[in-house]
Amino acid sequence: MKKSTIWILGIIMGLSFLSLLYLQVSYIDEMVTIRREQFNESVQRSLEQVCRNVELTETKKYLEADVAAMERAAQQAEETIKGAHATDEEVVEYTRHYYIPSSNGISSFEWKMEVRTHVPKISTSAGKNIPQIANTLKDIQKGRYMHQRALLDEVVYNMLQTTSDKPLNERVNFKQLDVFLKTELWKNGIDIPYHYSVTDRMGKLIYHCPDYVPDGNEILYSSVLFKNDPPARVGLVNIHFPTMDDYVFSSVRFMIPSVIFTFVLLVTFVFTIYIIFRQKKLTEIKNDFINNMTHEFKTPISTISLAAQMLQDPSVGKSPAMFQHISGVINDETKRLRFQVEKVLQMSMFERQKATLKMKDVNANELIQGVMNTFALKVEKYNGRITSDLGAENPWIFVDEMHFTNVVFNLLDNAVKYKKEDGELQLHICTWSESGKLYISIQDNGIGIKKENLKKIFDKFYRVHTGNRHDVKGFGLGLAYVKKIIQDHKGTIRAESELNVGTKFIIVLPLLKNE
């Protein structure tokens, strides 16, 4: 499958998963918003009814008290009437004072009611006395009704005048308030823990429930107690719910697994696409490796085959010099072939297990100088020049001498491979010690490396593309080997490069004294 096709399918599937995930999250958000609005309306409706119940309870209390007082007064009046010695009728007079608000203040007037009770004479003609007694009782009942009606008006006015002057803690039964809250919230479908308090209009605390905690009071619901009282006398009942969020989100919990599964599918899909591209990249690297390996092995094999054919020529056997030359070519090409095979096998060994290093104390300056002396001839072959500034005051490190020598040699060999075709090769090596570590810098003026390729150069089998140049040999294992060896020595290596300017490798290793 082509890479572009994979990209298109991946984008379509990715957008589909993202759209599905967005719809699910939007649906959950909408449900939570609706649920929260319903909860707010239910709480406010409950609080308004609770405040109304408190006012009704107060009104009922005062009415019951006043009615009880009037019943006692009426009972005393009846006893007075029954004890009187009037023969024909007895007049009982009720007097009440009323206070009516007006534009000039409060005016008062006196209201009187007379109740006439006829006490019939004893007569043998009972039939004539029964209608008279019934009319008398009817008049008494009517008088009592008118009187009680006037009393209700007076009670209401007196209640409005006197109750608002009392403090809230005398007007409200807080235990009963708790019962009202619990009942009204339950009627509106809210059965979760709550905490309430009563404050005045200035926010001063008057009462709070015994188990009051401030958790969840960021969202506080309030309603006015006795809203028709003067503003200075009104109070507030406040309520908050510590577990409100759990209650609100309980309605969408069934959607959470769906969102999680969708997200897992999205991550799995992205990871699958990543694996596909990685496998495709590894396939390309493998193909490049096979092509390079074929090219690297083909040259020495062809040379050895040609030399073997020349040895079969009888004339070569008669010339010792020619025989020795051909034998030397076969030997050199065999070594080259064995070296390439050993590099592949060595990297395979490093992948399976940590390399066995023969560590010892090494003077880095002396080791690098020895590699430079050996490599100088190869650099001069390309009309190049190698210089050094081995200024590390403490150059002693604890390393495997053979592998560390290969590291320096590989970095110098890379500089020669990727030199500019038209230009003098310049190599510079310097060392310095700083903060208990040894720094080694190897710099060239070659073709450089692009920024997008710089972070991949230490990957196994990766080789920087050099266009149509076929003179750059190798399997892409050199820098991977270098990084592996440096890491096994508890060091680090990084590369700095600029295209068409050159590349610098910086190695950092711990000094011997720190070990």
Side-chain angles (χ1 to χ4, degrees), residues 234-331:
V234 298
L236 295 172
V237 56
N238 311 296
I239 186 171
H240 68 271
F241 302 86
T243 60
M244 184 187 71
D245 290 338
D246 295 337
Y247 175 80
V248 171
F249 283 99
S250 62
S251 60
V252 295
R253 285 178 181 170
F254 71 96
M255 286 291 297
I256 295 178
S258 175
V259 174
I260 294 175
F261 291 148
T262 303
F263 180 75
V264 170
L265 287 175
L266 177 61
V267 172
T268 303
F269 171 74
V270 172
F271 183 72
T272 302
I273 293 297
Y274 170 77
I275 292 297
I276 290 174
F277 278 105
R278 181 174 175 82
Q279 290 296 330
K280 187 174 181 62
K281 179 181 177 182
L282 291 176
T283 301
E284 293 174 353
I285 291 175
K286 182 193 70 174
N287 293 335
D288 290 342
F289 170 73
I290 292 174
N291 293 333
N292 291 330
M293 184 178 65
T294 302
H295 181 76
E296 289 290 330
F297 287 170
K298 185 176 179 180
T299 301
I301 290 174
S302 299
T303 304
I304 292 172
S305 176
L306 179 60
Q309 291 178 7
M310 293 179 64
L311 287 177
Q312 292 178 357
D313 190 347
S315 60
V316 174
K318 297 177 182 181
S319 175
M322 180 64 69
F323 184 83
Q324 186 177 2
H325 173 71
I326 294 175
S327 299
V329 169
I330 293 175
N331 186 52

Side-chain angles (χ1 to χ4, degrees), residues 35 48 85 120 173 198 205 233 256 291 298 317 353 403 456 460 499 513:
R35 182 75 166 177
E48 290 176 2
H85 298 288
N173 185 335
V198 178
L205 181 66
R233 296 294 181 178
I256 295 178
N291 293 333
K298 185 176 179 180
Q353 60 185 1
H403 285 292
K456 303 176 185 178
K460 189 174 64 172
L499 194 62
K513 65 179 182 180

Side-chain angles (χ1 to χ4, degrees), residues 290-498:
I290 292 174
N291 293 333
N292 291 330
M293 184 178 65
T294 302
H295 181 76
E296 289 290 330
F297 287 170
K298 185 176 179 180
T299 301
I301 290 174
S302 299
T303 304
I304 292 172
S305 176
L306 179 60
Q309 291 178 7
M310 293 179 64
L311 287 177
Q312 292 178 357
D313 190 347
S315 60
V316 174
K318 297 177 182 181
S319 175
M322 180 64 69
F323 184 83
Q324 186 177 2
H325 173 71
I326 294 175
S327 299
V329 169
I330 293 175
N331 186 52
D332 291 341
E333 293 299 322
T334 302
K335 288 182 179 179
R336 178 182 173 187
L337 187 60
R338 185 172 62 249
F339 177 74
Q340 299 292 359
V341 173
E342 285 180 354
K343 286 179 67 176
V344 177
L345 294 177
Q346 196 175 50
M347 287 305 300
S348 177
M349 179 188 67
F350 285 163
E351 285 292 318
R352 295 174 185 172
Q353 60 185 1
K354 189 174 181 180
T356 302
L357 302 176
K358 299 178 182 180
M359 310 291 283
K360 67 177 184 178
D361 301 348
V362 174
N363 187 313
N365 288 343
E366 293 180 358
L367 185 145
I368 293 172
Q369 187 62 54
V371 175
M372 288 176 56
N373 295 336
T374 303
F375 208 78
L377 294 175
K378 189 172 183 179
V379 175
E380 292 175 358
K381 179 182 176 181
Y382 295 98
N383 297 322
R385 189 163 56 95
I386 182 169
T387 58
S388 65
D389 180 14
L390 307 179
E393 296 179 357
N394 182 9
W396 290 95
I397 53 178
F398 192 64
V399 296
D400 183 299
E401 185 176 9
M402 182 191 72
H403 285 292
F404 190 70
T405 301
N406 289 338
V407 166
V408 179
F409 185 86
N410 277 336
L411 293 177
L412 293 175
D413 190 53
N414 264 4
V416 174
K417 285 182 180 180
Y418 294 97
K419 66 180 182 62
K420 295 179 180 178
E421 294 183 358
D422 52 345
E424 183 180 347
L425 176 61
Q426 297 287 339
L427 288 176
H428 182 70
I429 305 177
C430 61
T431 62
W432 69 95
S433 53
E434 180 181 334
S435 302
K437 296 183 180 297
L438 176 69
Y439 289 78
I440 303 172
S441 170
I442 300 177
Q443 185 174 2
D444 63 60
N445 63 341
I447 61 175
I449 305 172
K450 294 181 180 179
K451 290 184 179 180
E452 58 268 23
N453 296 329
L454 195 59
K455 59 184 178 180
K456 303 176 185 178
I457 59 175
F458 294 107
D459 294 345
K460 189 174 64 172
F461 301 129
Y462 182 80
R463 299 177 70 239
V464 178
H465 296 289
T466 56
N468 296 323
R469 293 177 57 183
H470 302 285
D471 57 335
V472 179
K473 314 295 184 183
F475 301 148
L477 297 174
L479 292 179
Y481 166 79
V482 168
K483 183 177 181 180
K484 178 67 177 175
I485 294 299
I486 294 299
Q487 288 179 340
D488 288 346
H489 285 83
K490 300 179 182 179
T492 60
I493 182 172
R494 70 177 188 271
E496 300 174 357
S497 183
E498 187 175 348

